[in-house]
Amino acid sequence: MTDRTVAGWRRQLPSGGSAYPDPSGSEQMQARAVLASVLAMALFLSGCAQPHRTIAPVSAPPPESTAPPTPKPHPSVTKPAKPPLRPLPAKLPAGLGRNTGVRPVALTFDDGPSPAWTPKVLDQLKAAKVTATFCVVGREVQRHPELVRRIVREGHQLCNHSWRHDLDLARRPVAEIRADLDRTNKAIQKASPGAKVPFYRQPGGRWTSEVLGVAKNLGMRPLHWSVDPQDWDKPTAATIGKRVHAATRPGAIVLLHDGGGNRAATLAACPKMIADLKRRFGITRLR
């Protein structure tokens, strides 16, 4: 631009004027609003950037354990060891009842009373007009007290045959033997108050001097046998009859069963067997 051009431009301006026109009032207000917005945004951003206002990320919860809980230890309870069983003697101890002491023989029935077989045996004895000795098991007495009452009512004798037919009872501690026999006697007395129990028979005939002593102390005589047809093994009725016939001698004590299993063969053998014993020896009540 030449000096002549500038001088000409200046001459065209009004006196006291400026080369830039004055902004209007509205334009000034808009400028202030924009400036305020910029300042506010700057302050907000500067505040968010402060370290102490940083928002920590939310942590995920720890996964649940799938392992079973560890069981709490229980205190161990040590049971006292049972005393060892005494050995059986090499031979049967002396003092066992094995003979009636007279010519007639005696019939004994073990392991009852049984609701299936005892009433039928009683019916046969009644028909033959003979009596017998019933060696009863305590827990069966407890279950069927009415059969004990019938045995006593029809004139038969009772014999303690232990509480549960424990074959090893005679080998156990004396206190245990006594508790067993006493419990059985009490069950008999509860079933038939005042009934006499003059005999004890050891299950299996497995006698020891200890069980003999306990039985005698309780007022019972040890009752064994001299004829055993092994009807507990379920032979036929004919076999039972033949064995009894061959083995019986004067004064014999015959072992039979009215409980402890199926006694159909024994029941079938009884009529002929009883008739044979009555004819040859007679049948008596134990004394």
Side-chain angles (χ1 to χ4, degrees), residues 22-79:
D22 290 334
S24 65
S26 61
E27 291 175 343
Q28 292 179 355
M29 292 179 67
Q30 290 177 357
R32 292 192 189 99
V34 171
L35 180 60
S37 297
V38 171
L39 290 173
M41 181 61 69
L43 290 172
F44 175 78
L45 292 175
S46 64
C48 290
Q50 293 177 14
H52 66 277
R53 297 190 59 179
T54 302
I55 300 175
V58 179
S59 60
E64 295 184 1
S65 175
T66 58
T70 303
K72 294 182 179 180
H74 294 285
S76 59
V77 178
T78 303
K79 294 183 178 180

Side-chain angles (χ1 to χ4, degrees), residues 88-101:
L88 287 172
K91 61 180 181 178
L92 291 175
L96 301 179
R98 307 177 71 174
N99 193 282
T100 64

